[in-house]
Amino acid sequence: MAILDNVTGGARSEAARATSDLSTLFRPRSVALVGATERSMWSVNAFENLRRYSPRIAVHCVSPTRATVHGVTAAASLSALGEAVDLAYIMSPRDTVPDILREAAANGIGGAIVLTAGFGETDDGRALQRELVAAVEETGIHLLGPNGSGYVDVRHQVVPFGLALPNLPDPGGASFVLQSGGLMKPLLSLARAWGVGVGMLAGTGNEATLSSTDVARYLIESEETGAIGLFLEAFRDAEGFRSLAERALELDRPVVVLPVGRSEVARRTAMSHTGALAGDAAVTSAVLRELGVVEVSSMEEFVATTELLSRGVRPRGGRLGVVSASGGSCELVADKAADEGMTLPRLPSAALEELRSLLPAFSHVQNPLDVTGYATVNPSLPVDAAAIMGRTGAEHYDLLLFQAFVAPPGRPADPDLTRAHFAAIADTVKGLDVPVLLQDEVGVGLSDFARELFAELGLVRLPGVEVGLRAVANAMRYTGSRERLRGAERTAARPTSSAPLPEGPLSEARALELLGGHGVPVMPHRLVSDAAGAVEAARLLGGRVVLKICSPDIAHKSDVGGVVLDVEGDDTVAEAYTGLMATVTARVPEARLDGVLVAPFRPGGVELIVGINRDPVWGPVLVLGFGGVLVEVLADVAIRPLPVSARDVTEMLDGLRGAALLRGARGRAAGDVDAVVAAVLALADAALGWGDGWDSVEVNPMRVDGTVVEALDALVVGRSA
């Protein structure tokens, strides 16, 4: 993800920072359509939406050229309206917008939506957007946009929105804020089809002053909001987002984020492996996890997860019980549950006994439970089976999924009979100690009758196996994450020192010296400038040695023949020195050479990479994983934002796929994890101590061999002015 330039939207105004009370923008009693005209479908749609969906809102039209617009009398200006208005919906030419904002504020209007485009998203509109921001700063008016189509407040029936709308979903606790206005209509359509209850859906446009984070903060403070979903193309206010996430955890009103616009590696630091591994997407995911924010990857998952969390579903863990009428569906659930880290525990003996007496003899009683097609003959069979599983297995399951139902595709011939059947399901669900969710095999839309019936009975439905179980897994992870984060002490940032780094890359010898001075364990080494010096260094270091070229211009020494391994004996060391210098000089004649680093040859052990990269949005992040020459091939790394604690580093190590190697798998000596943690924290302290004066700090590899932990190679890149 990227922070956008302030010109294109992203600078939060002081007015926006000063208040989270956006009621003048989102709770108007009257709206003025400025630039209203029948020649624009934006104007036609905005007028019709307000008239159709906002019956309690007074709608005024402002047109400098026409006395009547959309069948109502139009005023020539806001000042000419002659009565108080709360919200201005501005569709005028872009050059007129700043002055219209000033006029609106002068007439007591507290909120404005600017539909007009052509501001910060275009080269020739950036100066005009700066003027628009200045007008907001002068007046204190709350501005949504520009280049935004408005919002749809389903719960309070306030719909200043410039696109033709589908039938709206029912009101509910799931609210959404999108940086892409074009996705608002499809989201509303999907929410209605799935029976998702929506509070507010807002598009933020260019975010010239108010960001998506500001709007989300306003919504999250409302008790009517159960969860909020954010569709983000950019994080324009990292600190504000952190604050939002912390407040959401405190209130238990989850934040769900669908981040887009992420390249595989949107920012690559050429000097370090860490920069390649810590791409924007990986860093964003790591930060969201640490903030207790749920990250999703599709619109369907976005809607389903936000809805489920808004309904208060908080699974204590991932143990599922399943009641179905299809063996194939049972298998799909079992596979998807395994993919998402959930389990299907065996039925307890009490449940086995009761279910065998209830179900046909040809059924196979297990979890997931297929009650067979006999449910068609006896519709109460799956309900009774769910009651048995929930009653006898409340301590064995965190959640029950009930698939043995068919949602009415339309109004049934006997609606009372259908209502009675689902009422029996609802009564069973309410009487159990374990939460129960209805789940379709596929994510089809609900008929109006089914949607209204499920809402009336309070039944929570998952749309299909794939999306439904993703939503359940997300709710499970949120529950565990909130419990962990609420109970953990926050890691305080360490103070920075005043010692500056030189600009650009440092030689390996200098990098090792600096890191060693901050408590990072480094290998013994000597920097030499001739063959005789190399021979003497090898004798002092104990025989078998490694020779490495030392240059601030060569980060990946093996790529240019700048490393010679396992050299022993005076003559061999001297020849290795001479050959290495000749090879590097021929291949990289322009490189500055400080000499050759001689160090002990260290075979065996486990090699780690420990790196710290500066993300343009989130700041310093720690990258920890299995390293050496295979670091980018294996890419087995964990990422967390700084600062970190010893517990954080331990969890990062434990989460690596190769963690067993460090713990002593297959006859290896177990590594000293506490020593590794201490070394990582020392490296992090060094980077934080240098403040903003660096771009990348990396040890690759850090060798772990039993109780021995040491940096074999290091890279420090000072930040360029």
Side-chain angles (χ1 to χ4, degrees):
M1 303 291 295
I3 271 187
L4 299 189
D5 186 277
N6 287 348
V7 170
T8 63
R12 297 182 68 219
S13 69
E14 291 303 315
R17 291 185 184 279
T19 179
S20 60
D21 182 10
L22 303 180
S23 57
T24 55
L25 179 62
F26 291 118
R27 294 291 182 85
R29 294 160 298 182
S30 54
V31 177
L33 301 180
V34 184
T37 171
E38 281 113 351
R39 295 192 302 272
S40 168
M41 288 308 298
W42 293 104
S43 181
V44 171
N45 292 331
F47 184 82
E48 290 300 321
N49 287 336
L50 285 165
R51 280 295 176 91
R52 177 182 179 187
Y53 293 114
S54 305
R56 295 186 297 274
I57 302 294
V59 184
H60 306 275
C61 289
V62 174
S63 171
T65 60
R66 298 182 64 84
T68 302
V69 181
H70 303 316
V72 300
T73 301
S77 66
L78 287 170
S79 301
L81 280 173
E83 59 182 282
V85 172
D86 297 321
L87 176 66
Y89 190 91
I90 301 172
M91 302 169 283
S92 301
R94 65 177 185 172
D95 293 346
T96 67
V97 173
D99 285 340
I100 290 173
L101 289 174
R102 294 184 179 96
E103 182 189 13
N107 284 276
I109 296 175
I113 298 169
V114 176
L115 170 76
T116 309
F119 288 89
E121 76 278 12
T122 64
D123 290 340
D124 64 341
R126 295 185 177 186
L128 197 58
Q129 181 153 313
R130 283 192 288 267
E131 185 181 347
L132 184 148
V133 171
V136 171
E137 295 286 0
E138 292 169 17
T139 62
I141 195 170
H142 289 306
L143 169 66
L144 191 65
N147 190 29
S149 50
Y151 64 84
V152 178
D153 187 341
V154 179
R155 181 181 292 279
H156 298 104
Q157 295 183 302
V158 184
V159 187
F161 192 72
L163 293 170
L165 285 171
N167 290 329
L168 296 183
D170 296 327
S175 285
F176 301 89
V177 181
L178 279 66
Q179 288 179 338
S180 172
L183 291 176
M184 294 175 70
K185 282 180 62 176
L187 191 151
L188 288 168
S189 296
L190 184 61
R192 181 177 175 88
W194 282 356
V196 172
V198 173
M200 165 89 77
L201 176 62
T204 54
N206 286 9
E207 301 188 357
T209 56
L210 286 177
S211 70
S212 52
T213 301
D214 296 318
V215 177
R217 182 61 182 258
Y218 167 76
L219 294 171
I220 214 75
E221 292 294 338
S222 170
E223 293 183 357
E224 296 173 338
T225 301
I228 189 161
L230 302 177
F231 179 94
L232 299 179
E233 296 166 331
F235 289 84
R236 293 183 170 117
D237 178 17
E239 288 309 308
F241 185 86
R242 289 181 192 272
S243 176
L244 166 70
E246 290 169 7
R247 181 61 171 159
L249 279 181
E250 179 185 346
L251 297 173
D252 193 17
R253 294 171 189 156
V255 174
V256 180
V257 170
L258 173 53
V260 295
R262 305 170 297 167
S263 60
E264 182 180 343
V265 179
R267 181 175 58 95
R268 180 180 296 273
T269 302
M271 286 289 177
S272 73
H273 292 290
T274 305
L277 294 169
D280 286 354
V283 173
T284 296
S285 296
V287 171
L288 294 181
R289 283 194 301 272
E290 286 307 295
L291 293 175
V293 173
V294 179
E295 181 182 5
V296 297
S297 58
S298 71
M299 285 293 289
E300 292 81 4
E301 185 187 356
F302 182 53
V303 172
T305 299
T306 307
E307 154 72 347
L308 192 63
L309 288 168
S310 77
R311 300 290 293 266
V313 176
R314 304 289 186 271
R316 299 164 299 181
R319 303 172 302 169
L320 300 182
V322 180
V323 177
S324 179
S326 164
S329 183
C330 287
E331 293 162 353
L332 287 172
V333 170
D335 286 345
K336 186 60 181 175
D339 292 343
E340 298 296 337
M342 296 181 285
T343 60
L344 293 152
R346 294 179 181 274
L347 293 168
S349 56
L352 282 170
E353 184 177 344
E354 287 195 54
L355 288 169
R356 283 170 179 158
S357 64
L358 173 72
L359 297 172
F362 54 83
S363 64
H364 186 47
V365 180
Q366 62 179 9
N367 181 34
L369 180 65
D370 175 13
V371 297
T372 76
Y374 198 74
T376 304
V377 179
N378 180 6
S380 66
L381 183 64
V383 182
D384 295 338
I388 292 171
M389 287 186 66
R391 187 179 66 252
T392 60
E395 296 181 359
H396 293 76
Y397 310 116
D398 300 306
L399 200 66
L400 282 182
L401 302 182
F402 185 80
Q403 289 189 338
F405 74 98
V406 177
R411 185 170 182 83
D414 189 342
D416 291 338
L417 181 63
T418 301
R419 183 173 283 104
H421 173 67
F422 281 96
I425 296 175
D427 290 342
T428 299
V429 166
K430 293 172 185 175
L432 299 176
D433 293 332
V434 57
V436 182
L437 304 177
L438 273 62
Q439 182 185 43
D440 289 318
E441 286 84 354
V442 292
V444 296
L446 293 175
S447 66
D448 288 346
F449 179 85
R451 192 185 76 254
E452 293 167 6
L453 178 61
F454 287 5
E456 173 192 330
L457 297 174
L459 292 170
V460 183
R461 173 227 182 210
L462 297 172
V465 172
E466 180 72 22
V467 173
L469 283 184
R470 283 288 295 169
V472 169
N474 289 333
M476 173 190 73
R477 293 173 188 130
Y478 167 78
T479 305
S481 179
R482 180 173 187 268
E483 183 177 343
R484 175 178 64 84
L485 293 171
R486 294 281 291 162
E489 293 185 8
R490 290 179 56 83
T491 304
R494 295 162 177 82
T496 61
S497 69
S498 58
L501 290 176
E503 292 183 9
L506 281 61
S507 71
E508 182 184 353
R510 180 60 176 146
L512 289 170
E513 178 186 0
L514 284 172
L515 294 178
H518 282 81
V520 178
V522 301
M523 65 176 180
H525 59 277
R526 296 286 188 276
L527 181 63
V528 301
S529 57
D530 54 33
V535 171
E536 182 181 356
R539 289 174 180 173
L540 291 172
L541 294 170
R544 299 173 68 188
V545 294
V546 174
L547 277 66
K548 299 187 288 183
I549 197 69
C550 191
S551 167
D553 300 326
I554 302 174
H556 305 304
K557 294 176 281 292
S558 59
D559 292 349
V560 297
V563 179
V564 182
L565 301 174
D566 197 8
V567 183
E568 187 173 13
D570 293 355
D571 293 342
T572 308
V573 170
E575 291 174 5
Y577 176 92
T578 303
L580 184 151
M581 290 293 288
T583 299
V584 173
T585 301
R587 292 186 179 180
V588 198
E590 72 281 4
R592 295 167 293 168
L593 303 182
D594 293 345
V596 171
L597 206 66
V598 183
F601 177 58
R602 303 293 206 204
V606 174
E607 293 186 339
L608 300 175
I609 179 173
V610 185
I612 300 172
N613 210 53
R614 184 179 301 283
D615 186 81
V617 177
W618 305 109
V621 292
L622 171 66
V623 178
L624 176 59
F626 285 88
V629 295
L630 295 177
V631 56
E632 289 179 359
V633 177
L634 298 177
D636 184 12
V637 297
I639 301 174
R640 290 206 185 187
L642 291 184
V644 292
S645 66
R647 176 180 175 180
D648 294 330
V649 177
T650 302
E651 289 178 352
M652 292 174 75
L653 290 169
D654 288 341
L656 298 174
R657 296 191 301 274
L661 296 174
L662 194 59
R663 299 289 185 181
R666 301 186 67 85
R668 292 175 176 265
D672 187 340
V673 174
D674 290 340
V676 174
V677 170
V680 172
L681 291 176
L683 185 73
D685 283 347
L688 291 175
W690 292 323
D692 293 334
W694 55 273
D695 279 331
S696 185
V697 182
E698 177 178 292
V699 170
N700 181 37
M702 177 177 284
R703 177 175 171 271
V704 183
D705 190 6
T707 60
V708 177
V709 177
E710 57 186 354
L712 302 189
D713 200 342
L715 175 68
V716 175
V717 181
R719 198 167 196 179
S720 300

